[in-house]
Amino acid sequence: MSEDNKKRLKVGITLGDTNGIGIEVALKAVGVPEMIDMCTPVLYGSSKIVSYHRNACNLPGFQINHTKSAENLKDNMPNLVECINQEIKVELGQPSKQAGLASFLALEAAVRDLKAGLIDVLVTAPINKDNIQSDQFHFPGHTEYLESAAGDGDKALMVMCTGNLRIALATIHMPLSQVPGAISIESIREHLLQFNTTLKRDFGIDGPRIAVLSLNPHAGENGILGTEERDIILPAIQQSLDEDGVQCFGPYAADGFFGARHYRRFDGVLAMYHDQGLVPFKTIAMDEGVNFTAGLPIVRTSPDHGTGYDIAGQGLANESSMRHAIYTAIDVYRSRIRYDEAHRNPLPKLFQDRGRDNVKLDLTKGE
């Protein structure tokens, strides 16, 4: 195992909407000895706001290292990077522009530190996609922001995962009326190839099998209920199989596919739109599901739930999804290292070393 894969990882955790449950689930997840044994948690937010939530939720106390920079972390306890330098009024359960601003400031600081190598992976608590909007943040969600801020030109792929169930989305945050126009043979092939790569590199699966869902009810019924399956999805599957070497199958009607639990026969599922994938996923794995942003040079995960305004500040929020998001980020980081080491080509270095030896040998001949 390489030194990179042995090192203690620094897990950056943004605290999300300050009026929601993000701070509660983050504190519950990191405030246990087993988490400190596994990694160094680095929270991004405000100590004043964290204290407010801790008192409101009557959470047990534990020591936190407060710092203004991720360069000054302690490994034996959770850390809090103070990155909100203005007064933010906490209004539990209520959306507000101040809460949106606070969530953006934490996200911006964490991404900056992630790109600088001060933290190794990023876990984001839920935001309100409306109140976070500003001149600095004009994206439908975390996924699109991270693609822009840290993608280095790569395209993000949203993957929901729990255990052996992994659902990727061909389209993400867009009105349902725009979905048919957003899918094409080329885009589906691109997503299948990207998904195939992440299943191998990020999840350590050899020869992954991917199921592709239909867009229309009953997979279009041979064009009676829609032609996208016949004209777009099926040709994309065939080309991906024949030309890209991706083991993909379908298209499957989503209702029967999940109802009969056919997803158990595959390593991944490509859904055509947001709710087609997330409704069954959250039904199956709401408490332990994780949102993983694949396709980018960084590793980012998130709990699969929202801000939970209805239970904010009551101490009722379940931290399981946040805990699994942290575990998944660590697993993906280490899986990438193993995959890259296993697939690194030793021949160029070997050839260069031998070439240098040959040059030295030739020079001694006096030719």
Side-chain angles (χ1 to χ4, degrees), residues 116-191:
L118 297 178
I119 57 176
D120 299 300
V121 298
L122 176 64
V123 180
T124 59
I127 59 173
N128 180 308
K129 294 177 177 61
D130 177 32
N131 67 30
I132 196 175
Q133 298 298 316
S134 68
D135 292 339
Q136 292 80 29
F137 191 102
H138 45 82
F139 303 90
H142 275 118
T143 303
E144 295 85 352
Y145 171 79
L146 291 168
E147 180 181 277
S148 174
D152 292 338
D154 294 337
K155 294 293 185 181
L157 178 69
M158 184 172 172
V159 179
M160 308 300 295
C161 52
T162 181
N164 292 325
L165 175 60
R166 306 165 195 90
I167 302 178
L169 303 181
T171 61
I172 308 178
H173 299 116
M174 65 172 56
L176 189 58
S177 61
Q178 296 178 14
V179 170
I183 63 171
S184 65
I185 294 175
E186 293 75 18
S187 69
I188 292 176
R189 281 185 65 182
E190 179 181 336
H191 283 101

Side-chain angles (χ1 to χ4, degrees), residues 190-268:
E190 179 181 336
H191 283 101
L192 283 170
L193 189 58
Q194 192 179 23
F195 196 18
N196 189 61
T197 298
T198 201
L199 289 170
K200 291 179 178 180
R201 184 172 181 242
D202 298 333
F203 293 96
I205 300 170
D206 293 326
R209 291 166 48 88
I210 301 173
V212 183
L213 301 183
S214 63
L215 175 67
N216 298 298
H218 306 289
E221 290 281 17
N222 292 321
I224 297 175
L225 301 179
T227 61
E228 284 84 3
E229 286 74 21
R230 181 189 64 201
D231 298 341
I232 297 175
I233 302 176
L234 188 56
I237 292 172
Q238 196 62 52
Q239 291 179 30
S240 295
L241 187 62
D242 295 341
E243 301 177 29
D244 304 325
V246 177
Q247 295 188 70
C248 50
F249 310 89
Y252 299 101
D255 57 349
F257 181 84
F258 287 106
R261 301 184 180 181
H262 289 321
Y263 58 85
R264 295 181 173 181
R265 298 159 45 194
F266 298 91
D267 301 297

Side-chain angles (χ1 to χ4, degrees), residues 48-80:
K48 185 176 181 179
I49 296 174
V50 166
S51 295
Y52 187 101
H53 278 260
R54 177 181 268 179
N55 292 331
C57 297
N58 195 28
L59 299 179
F62 56 88
Q63 191 173 3
I64 298 177
N65 174 45
H66 297 270
T67 177
K68 293 185 177 181
S69 170
E71 294 180 346
N72 303 312
L73 303 178
K74 293 184 178 180
D75 288 338
N76 61 342
M77 66 181 70
N79 298 263
L80 173 64

